């Protein structure tokens, strides 16, 4: 599903080795965003936008940079939407392979803003149309995302877990969800050199980051929604994975929190 959100941060923090699950457009409204990978640093300041390709991995820094808080508008494009857009419009322009800082104008900002959360529910069809409009505007500026190839088994498992992160995702439950035998699932996990426990844990922590950045839920509430019964164990797991405490990611100005919206 495409997802639009406003992301806030009251203090500078870094998320270590974040793998981007969807193609993203991020517009920095206040502060600075940095993406760091071996041999490359990308900086987007207030008033700039950055396109980030699905599957790339970065250390991500959200920094108020002298402002009251960091704020960004984020639109994640689902695989089906990107594939449909490329089929309709062709594969012209520059493909976003990693991340690119781009110039934006008032029309693009207005189109992006229409995809963000509002007090009134907007239909999935209309939100999908608005996301497609943003892709078209990006294409007219010479940029497009590559259509996604078939998802790997690890990606499929993590996406499923992300839909219900508090679920009891053991081998039996996952095998049944994919209509596989448990032995077949174990072979596929072995081939990918991943354990189910590690995949489930990482998917839950990915969801936790999003909830902490975009909702008013407390750290304890996020922990419960993501499958932890112990606040302290969640905090330890989060800090071990992301190299920052969840309370730091959660901190923001109270009046600014916005709820993540699923689109389409």
């Amino acid at each position: 599903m495409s997802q639009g959100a406003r992301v806030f941060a009251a203090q500078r923090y870094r998320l270590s080795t974040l793998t981007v699950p969807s193609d993203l457009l991020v517009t920095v409204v206040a502060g600075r965003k940095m993406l760091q990978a071996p041999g490359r640093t990308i900086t987007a300041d207030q008033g700039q936008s950055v396109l980030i390709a699905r599957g790339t991995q970065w250390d991500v820094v959200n920094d108020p940079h002298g402002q009251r808080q960091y704020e960004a508008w984020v639109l994640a494009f689902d695989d089906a939407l990107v594939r449909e857009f490329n089929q309709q419009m062709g594969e012209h322009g520059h493909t976003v392979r990693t991340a690119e800082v781009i110039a934006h104008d008032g029309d693009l900002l207005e189109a992006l803003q229409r995809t963000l959360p509002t007090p009134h529910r907007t239909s999935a069809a209309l939100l999908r149309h608005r996301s497609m409009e943003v892709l078209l505007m990006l294409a007219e500026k010479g940029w497009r995302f590559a259509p996604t190839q078939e998802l790997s088994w690890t990606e499929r498992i993590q996406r499923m877990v992300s839909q219900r992160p508090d679920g009891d995702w053991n081998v039996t439950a996952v095998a049944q969800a994919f209509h596989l035998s448990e032995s077949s699932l174990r072979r596929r996990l072995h081939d990918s050199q991943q354990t189910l426990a590690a995949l489930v844990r990482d998917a839950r922590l990915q969801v936790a980051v999003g909830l902490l950045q975009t909702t008013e839920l407390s750290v304890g509430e996020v922990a419960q929604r993501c499958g932890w019964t112990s606040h302290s164990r969640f905090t330890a797991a989060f800090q071990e994975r992301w190299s920052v405490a969840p309370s730091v990611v959660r901190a923001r100005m109270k009046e600014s929190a916005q709820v993540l919206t699923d689109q389409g």
Side-chain angles (χ1 to χ4, degrees):
M1 292 182 293
S2 295
Q3 297 176 326
R6 293 180 174 91
V7 173
F8 298 92
Q11 57 185 294
R12 185 183 190 275
Y13 64 81
R14 175 194 301 267
L15 297 171
S16 297
T17 58
L18 174 68
T19 300
V20 179
S22 303
D23 295 312
L24 298 178
L25 168 62
V26 181
T27 293
V28 180
V29 178
R32 167 178 289 178
K33 187 175 199 72
M34 295 178 64
L35 305 174
Q36 298 176 328
R40 190 177 187 195
T41 297
I42 292 175
T43 301
D45 286 313
Q46 180 175 333
Q48 293 183 306
S49 295
V50 58
L51 302 173
I52 312 174
R54 170 191 170 275
T56 56
Q57 188 176 84
W58 308 89
D59 286 356
V60 177
V61 178
N62 292 337
D63 185 359
H65 197 60
Q67 303 294 314
R68 290 179 65 245
Q69 63 182 349
Y70 167 88
E71 178 183 351
W73 298 350
V74 182
L75 178 59
F77 301 98
D78 68 76
D79 303 336
L81 187 72
V82 172
R83 185 165 51 252
E84 179 184 340
F85 180 82
N86 280 273
Q87 289 171 348
Q88 292 181 2
M89 305 302 299
E91 299 183 1
H92 305 293
H94 303 289
T95 301
V96 181
R97 301 295 182 188
T98 54
E100 302 288 344
V101 176
I102 65 167
H104 59 237
D105 53 31
D107 289 341
L108 179 59
L109 288 179
E110 184 179 343
L112 176 59
Q113 191 169 25
R114 286 197 294 269
T115 71
L116 296 176
T118 67
H120 309 290
R121 181 165 181 81
T122 306
S123 70
L126 182 55
L127 287 170
R128 185 175 182 82
H129 173 79
R130 291 174 176 176
S131 298
M132 186 73 81
E133 180 185 23
V134 174
L135 284 176
L136 180 58
M137 288 185 170
L138 293 175
E140 290 180 346
K141 293 180 179 297
W143 293 101
R144 69 176 184 88
F145 294 106
T148 304
Q149 303 302 314
E150 185 177 356
L151 295 177
S152 67
W153 270 100
T154 57
E155 289 175 311
R156 292 175 66 182
I157 290 170
Q158 287 193 306
R159 289 193 178 195
M160 182 178 66
V161 172
S162 296
Q163 298 303 309
R164 190 161 59 87
D166 61 342
D168 182 14
W169 292 112
N170 53 40
V171 170
T172 300
V174 173
Q176 288 177 348
F178 286 113
H179 306 290
L180 292 172
S181 67
E182 293 183 22
S183 58
S184 294
L185 176 62
R186 288 192 175 95
R187 281 196 302 272
R188 293 180 185 190
L189 289 169
H190 180 267
D191 290 343
S192 68
Q193 299 182 323
Q194 295 272 11
T195 66
L196 180 60
L199 291 174
V200 170
R201 180 188 180 93
D202 202 61
R204 287 171 168 169
L205 291 171
Q206 292 266 8
V207 174
V209 167
L211 292 174
L212 291 168
Q213 288 179 324
T214 62
T215 76
E216 293 184 299
L217 295 173
S218 69
V219 173
E221 289 171 322
V222 170
Q224 289 183 344
R225 290 197 180 196
C226 294
W228 272 269
T229 57
S230 166
H231 185 296
S232 60
R233 289 183 180 178
F234 168 72
T235 296
F238 191 97
Q239 185 146 3
E240 179 184 9
R241 174 62 182 87
W242 302 118
S243 301
V244 63
S247 58
V248 174
V249 178
R250 175 62 185 82
R252 69 179 67 86
M253 304 300 172
K254 286 286 187 181
E255 68 274 12
S256 298
Q258 298 287 339
V259 178
L260 186 69
T261 297
D262 290 341
Q263 302 178 7

